[in-house]
Amino acid sequence: FEKYVHLTIPIISLVVATIPLPLDLYNPYYFFCSATAADYNNDTETFDRGTMLGMRAYIFLVFSIVMVSGICMVVLMALICFKVSRLEKRSMRYGEAFSRKKTK
């Protein structure tokens, strides 16, 4: 189970990093690349690289992936805590039953 949960991190990272490539959204910004529309041309009233729609779609997609991943992790952790508490209670009952049996 843990292997599959940790496997989602590089997969999501690759998806988020490769989506801007076909949309021409990677643009230099000092020492790193940013996924934005850039170089607005006043003559044609368009961007030289990328579009505002592409940039907004990418931001929405990344935000959605992050939110869904966060919600999934919260639900999984809650389910794990619930399962562990159930097993702990069952274990304590077995321990009590065993100690009663041993004293008789």
Side-chain angles (χ1 to χ4, degrees):
F1 169 75
E2 185 179 352
K3 183 175 20 176
Y4 299 114
V5 171
H6 284 95
L7 189 62
T8 59
I9 295 168
I11 292 172
I12 290 173
S13 300
L14 282 172
V15 168
V16 168
T18 56
I19 288 173
L21 291 174
L23 299 175
D24 284 336
L25 287 176
Y26 273 128
N27 295 296
Y29 181 73
Y30 293 103
F31 56 89
F32 64 93
C33 293
S34 62
T36 60
D39 300 328
Y40 186 74
N41 190 338
N42 286 325
D43 297 333
T44 60
E45 295 183 355
T46 59
F47 290 95
D48 291 338
R49 289 191 49 81
T51 62
M52 285 301 287
L53 179 63
M55 184 182 74
R56 288 183 180 140
Y58 174 73
I59 290 170
F60 176 76
L61 183 66
V62 169
F63 181 73
S64 300
I65 289 172
V66 169
M67 291 302 292
V68 168
S69 298
I71 290 169
C72 287
M73 287 300 122
V74 167
V75 168
L76 283 172
M77 288 299 135
L79 290 173
I80 289 171
C81 289
F82 178 70
K83 183 73 172 178
V84 166
S85 70
R86 279 185 39 203
L87 288 174
E88 186 180 23
K89 287 177 186 174
R90 185 182 300 166
S91 173
M92 288 172 49
R93 280 186 294 198
Y94 288 152
E96 290 171 2
F98 181 73
S99 66
R100 273 190 254 135
K101 195 183 221 185
K102 199 174 185 182
T103 57
K104 287 184 179 181

